[in-house]
């Protein structure tokens, strides 16, 4: 479930840019095997710490590489890149106060301010973000026998035992 952040970011990009192609496969991205305009999404785990006995805090970095579409004067030649407007993405994140809930995956991403880097035909946006990941409760103990729920409680008073 460690690609949960990657899937949540794909959901966010889909909300803001529904017509944009989303790439998650690094080999296809490096080969240039995609239709423009597109965004490549890659996450990198920074830290995985115990937050509570039932949840871990995951801290990751995400890189979004937005590839611009190209102007076409004729069908045969491509012109200059058409820059993609990133204002809708930043406006959406500000409206959400940089706390975006994933509707499909049940996590809330707490996002730090972005860093951008522009190139001729693309712009790279990087964020650091965190979310809580639920840790399942063990159903067996160390010996391998199932853990029984305690349904009956007893109290002792003056040497006598009473059901509670």
């Amino acid at each position: 479930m460690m690609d949960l952040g990657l899937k949540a970011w794909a959901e966010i990009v889909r909300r803001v840019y529904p017509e944009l192609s989303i790439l998650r496969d690094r080999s296809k991205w490096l080969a240039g095997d995609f239709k423009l305009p597109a965004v490549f999404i890659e996450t990198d785990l920074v830290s995985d710490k115990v937050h509570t006995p039932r949840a871990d805090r995951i801290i990751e970095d995400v890189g979004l590489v937005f590839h611009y579409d190209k102007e076409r004067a004729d069908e045969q030649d491509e012109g200059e890149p058409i820059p993609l407007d990133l204002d809708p993405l930043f406006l959406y994140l500000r409206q959400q106060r940089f706390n975006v809930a994933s509707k499909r995956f049940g996590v809330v991403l707490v996002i730090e301010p972005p860093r951008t880097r522009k190139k001729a035909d693309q712009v790279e946006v990087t964020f650091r973000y965190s979310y809580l990941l639920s840790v399942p409760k063990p159903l067996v103990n160390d010996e391998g026998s199932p853990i029984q729920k305690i349904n009956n409680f007893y109290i002792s008073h003056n040497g006598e035992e009473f059901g509670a």
Side-chain angles (χ1 to χ4, degrees):
M1 203 66 179
M2 292 310 289
D3 61 345
L4 189 66
L6 180 71
K7 292 177 182 178
W9 275 104
E11 179 185 351
I12 292 168
V13 169
R14 180 71 59 215
R15 280 184 213 165
V16 179
Y17 302 104
E19 72 287 346
L20 206 59
S21 300
I22 296 176
L23 300 163
R24 293 184 277 185
D25 185 7
R26 191 181 224 332
S27 60
K28 280 187 174 184
W29 177 62
L30 290 173
D33 185 21
F34 54 89
K35 182 181 159 233
L36 294 175
V39 61
F40 171 67
I41 303 172
E42 185 172 50
T43 57
D44 185 31
L45 180 67
V46 174
S47 146
D48 181 357
K49 296 181 182 177
V50 174
H51 182 69
T52 66
R54 302 279 306 174
D56 287 352
R57 176 165 301 281
I58 309 296
I59 300 172
E60 293 181 332
D61 286 334
V62 65
L64 306 171
V65 182
F66 292 91
H67 291 271
Y68 303 150
D69 200 3
K70 306 252 187 206
E71 270 186 310
R72 289 173 179 77
D74 297 324
E75 289 106 23
Q76 297 177 355
D77 60 354
E78 294 181 355
E80 292 294 313
I82 303 170
L84 184 67
D85 185 15
L86 293 180
D87 288 340
L89 175 65
F90 297 136
L91 177 63
Y92 176 76
L93 294 176
R94 278 194 302 275
Q95 286 173 340
Q96 301 296 316
R97 298 178 190 257
F98 288 89
N99 293 309
V100 180
S102 171
K103 294 176 183 171
R104 290 185 62 201
F105 304 107
V107 296
V108 175
L109 304 181
V110 179
I111 305 165
E112 294 181 10
R115 295 173 300 279
T116 59
R117 191 170 69 194
K118 294 184 179 184
K119 295 183 180 176
D121 63 342
Q122 67 190 34
V123 63
E124 182 179 326
V125 183
T126 56
F127 297 92
R128 179 158 288 178
Y129 66 98
S130 65
Y131 60 93
L132 293 179
L133 185 63
S134 177
V135 176
K137 186 175 181 179
L139 301 175
V140 293
N141 59 19
D142 293 336
E143 295 90 42
S145 60
I147 296 175
Q148 299 292 325
K149 274 182 91 174
I150 300 172
N151 293 322
N152 300 320
F153 296 90
Y154 300 96
I155 57 173
S156 176
H157 181 69
N158 291 335
E160 293 182 52
E161 204 170 87
F162 300 97

